[in-house]
Amino acid sequence: QVQLVESGGGSVQAGGSLRLSCAGSGYTYSSYCMGWFRQAPGKEREGVAAIDSDGSTRYADSVKGRFTISQDNAKNTLYLQMNSLKPEDTAMYYCAAVVHCEANPRWRLALTYDYWGQGTQVTVSS
């Protein structure tokens, strides 16, 4: 059974950094497409970054140049390094997995992913 557990969220001031982690189990980590999503109150869940099984990455325009997705296959762990954080980055962040990433822009749709973690809260104050 696929299980995903996020950690690393917290409260930071604008301009600060956080690194989120997502520990996976129950499947071969490196063979899946892994994504990071976020959901702010009253808004839809949106994809912010994804990394496919071939190592290719994709980002939402709103986070390009500030966020970096990576993974450590030996540790079955996905990361999201978030720099230059803004108040509008405040949200619950989730990791997700699916066998293959959809093409742009469908990879940003939550419905294209099969497995989800429980989320970790990120709060950025101005």
Side-chain angles (χ1 to χ4, degrees), residues 27-123:
Y27 64 108
T28 304
Y29 204 82
S30 60
S31 65
Y32 274 61
C33 165
M34 303 297 299
W36 282 104
F37 282 72
R38 66 186 181 188
Q39 188 167 21
K43 295 189 176 181
E44 289 189 0
R45 192 171 297 191
E46 61 173 0
V48 296
I51 183 165
D52 213 335
S53 56
D54 63 359
S56 59
T57 58
R58 54 203 79 185
Y59 297 92
D61 288 344
S62 59
V63 306
K64 274 181 184 176
R66 300 189 298 122
F67 290 11
T68 302
I69 189 171
S70 63
Q71 60 187 16
D72 185 331
N73 294 332
K75 296 182 178 180
N76 267 18
T77 301
L78 178 73
Y79 301 101
L80 185 67
Q81 178 67 44
M82 305 186 295
N83 299 329
S84 302
L85 282 162
K86 304 176 181 180
E88 52 263 44
D89 294 320
T90 295
M92 185 72 78
Y93 282 71
Y94 301 89
C95 66
V98 67
V99 174
H100 293 296
C101 284
E102 295 279 342
N104 198 44
R106 283 182 54 83
W107 69 268
R108 298 193 65 201
L109 299 177
L111 60 86
T112 63
Y113 291 76
D114 294 325
Y115 306 101
W116 293 88
Q118 83 290 348
T120 186
Q121 178 68 37
V122 172
T123 303

Side-chain angles (χ1 to χ4, degrees), residues 4-35:
L4 302 172
V5 180
E6 302 95 334
S7 61
S11 297
V12 296
Q13 291 191 327
S17 298
L18 282 173
R19 189 177 80 156
L20 306 183
S21 299
C22 172
S25 62
Y27 64 108
T28 304
Y29 204 82
S30 60
S31 65
Y32 274 61
C33 165
M34 303 297 299

